[in-house]
Amino acid sequence: MAIAATNPLRGILLKIASVAVFVGMQTCIKAAGPDIPAGQIAFYRSAFAILPILLYLTYQGDLRSAFYTRNPFGHVKRGVIGIVSMGFGFYGLVHLPLPDSIAIGYAMPLIAVVFAAVFLKESVRFYRWSAVLIGMVGVLIITWPKLTLFSESGLGSTAAVGAAAVLMSATLGAAAMLQVRQLVREEKTATIVLYFSLIASLLSAITWAFGWSVLAWSSLGLLAMSGFLGGIAQILLTESYRHADVSTIAPFEYCSILLGSVIAYFLFGDIPTLNTLFGTAIVASAGIFIIYREHRLGLERKAARKASMPPG
């Protein structure tokens, strides 16, 4: 059974905000250094995310009630899927060039639309399918000149494992999106985010047994900030699922291309190529088209409700 969207435009805006904060989180992780184990990164990312969540709950006066849940198994399921997806993603990021990792990882929105149509029975019409596919074309235009998987030595064992890891991360990430969409039926946003951070912290802490790096204070600070930003972004992301279908907001994951390019330019002096500018324009156009379509559909639904109301 599909979950009725209450305010698609609000869901889209919350999604875009979460993407912006997530890009900040990723920037902190990249700046922390390349030799930190993925499990250790996942731990700091999850553990320090608890702080903004607790602050948010205290501000809302909901700290005590946030620990109450009607669906503990659902939270465990979401936590396991999420932390495994995170681990695969960090592994792939370490063992692949960044453009390759981005190109494969952006399969997640497309997979999410397919999952939403199959498992949640959401209505995915021609326009949404078209927007997602057009967005993927834009991503390929941006990343294709930089791909190295199919050049020189080809698919070596390390590259092949890294590519499979990122693809697995994207698939599990799409599954986690659907699990969150189901949890918001009966759980508060803060409850969902709080339990995910707690479960993810516990699971990732297990990797300490396999060896963690001794961190400099600068790296520790950056990882702590990545967790803090991740907590804020997770609240925004989870709340977005309360207002819109997964298939509606999934394409807006592409906004991180534009944000990431801007950050790369100002922090690292990377100048966007023509492919990046052209591809970003295509991706942005696809997102704007969905906003326009949702606005028009919202007006049509409002007009239909007014027409069906008995005269006063």
Side-chain angles (χ1 to χ4, degrees):
M1 179 179 178
I3 306 169
T6 58
N7 192 331
L9 288 179
R10 179 177 294 178
I12 288 170
L13 291 175
L14 287 168
K15 171 66 174 181
I16 293 174
S18 75
V19 167
V21 181
F22 271 128
V23 169
M25 179 201 76
Q26 293 167 337
T27 302
C28 289
I29 292 174
K30 291 288 291 182
D35 301 322
I36 304 172
Q40 188 174 5
I41 296 173
F43 172 78
Y44 283 100
R45 155 66 180 87
S46 303
F48 281 91
I50 298 174
L51 178 58
I53 297 170
L54 294 178
L55 291 174
Y56 173 76
L57 290 174
T58 302
Y59 174 77
Q60 294 290 329
D62 255 351
L63 183 58
R64 182 174 299 179
S65 62
F67 286 91
Y68 173 75
T69 175
R70 300 180 183 88
N71 189 0
F73 177 75
H75 289 290
V76 172
K77 182 179 177 182
R78 186 266 185 275
V80 171
I81 295 173
I83 195 62
V84 175
S85 173
M86 192 183 299
F88 275 117
F90 288 144
Y91 181 89
L93 185 62
V94 170
H95 291 88
L96 282 178
L98 183 58
D100 298 33
S101 179
I102 292 174
I104 299 170
Y106 269 109
M108 185 177 70
L110 181 58
I111 297 171
V113 170
V114 175
F115 282 3
V118 173
F119 298 111
L120 297 185
K121 308 301 180 185
E122 289 184 0
S123 176
V124 182
R125 296 186 176 88
F126 173 77
Y127 294 103
R128 285 190 197 171
W129 285 119
S130 299
V132 172
L133 292 174
I134 290 172
M136 287 295 293
V137 170
V139 172
L140 288 175
I141 290 175
I142 294 170
T143 57
W144 185 261
K146 307 169 188 175
L147 291 177
T148 60
L149 287 176
F150 305 103
S151 63
E152 299 177 359
S153 59
L155 280 174
S157 58
T158 301
V161 173
V166 176
L167 184 58
M168 180 61 70
S169 176
T171 302
L172 291 172
M177 290 173 67
L178 267 64
Q179 181 63 22
V180 171
R181 185 75 173 127
Q182 292 175 319
L183 282 171
V184 296
R185 291 175 173 177
E186 54 186 4
E187 299 288 310
K188 296 179 180 179
T189 298
T191 301
I192 296 171
V193 178
L194 177 61
Y195 273 100
F196 171 69
S197 295
L198 290 172
I199 294 169
S201 297
L202 291 173
L203 292 176
S204 57
I206 298 173
T207 64
W208 173 81
F210 300 98
W212 282 7
S213 298
V214 177
L215 300 178
W217 284 109
S218 58
S219 296
L220 179 59
L222 286 167
L223 289 181
M225 178 58 68
S226 76
F228 189 84
L229 293 175
I232 295 173
Q234 202 68 45
I235 292 173
L236 295 170
L237 178 62
T238 303
E239 189 65 22
S240 72
Y241 295 137
R242 195 178 301 276
H243 299 285
D245 293 341
V246 170
S247 51
T248 298
I249 63 177
F252 290 88
E253 187 72 26
Y254 297 132
C255 292
S256 60
I257 297 173
L258 176 60
L259 297 173
S261 297
V262 171
I263 290 176
Y265 173 75
F266 284 103
L267 292 186
F268 309 110
D270 294 334
I271 301 176
T273 64
L274 288 177
N275 287 82
T276 299
L277 295 175
F278 183 52
T280 299
I282 293 176
V283 172
S285 298
I288 292 170
F289 177 72
I290 290 183
I291 291 178
Y292 172 76
R293 281 288 301 170
E294 289 299 326
H295 177 65
R296 295 299 306 174
L297 290 174
L299 292 177
E300 292 173 6
R301 286 192 291 265
K302 185 176 180 181
R305 285 195 299 269
K306 287 184 177 180
S308 63
M309 291 176 62

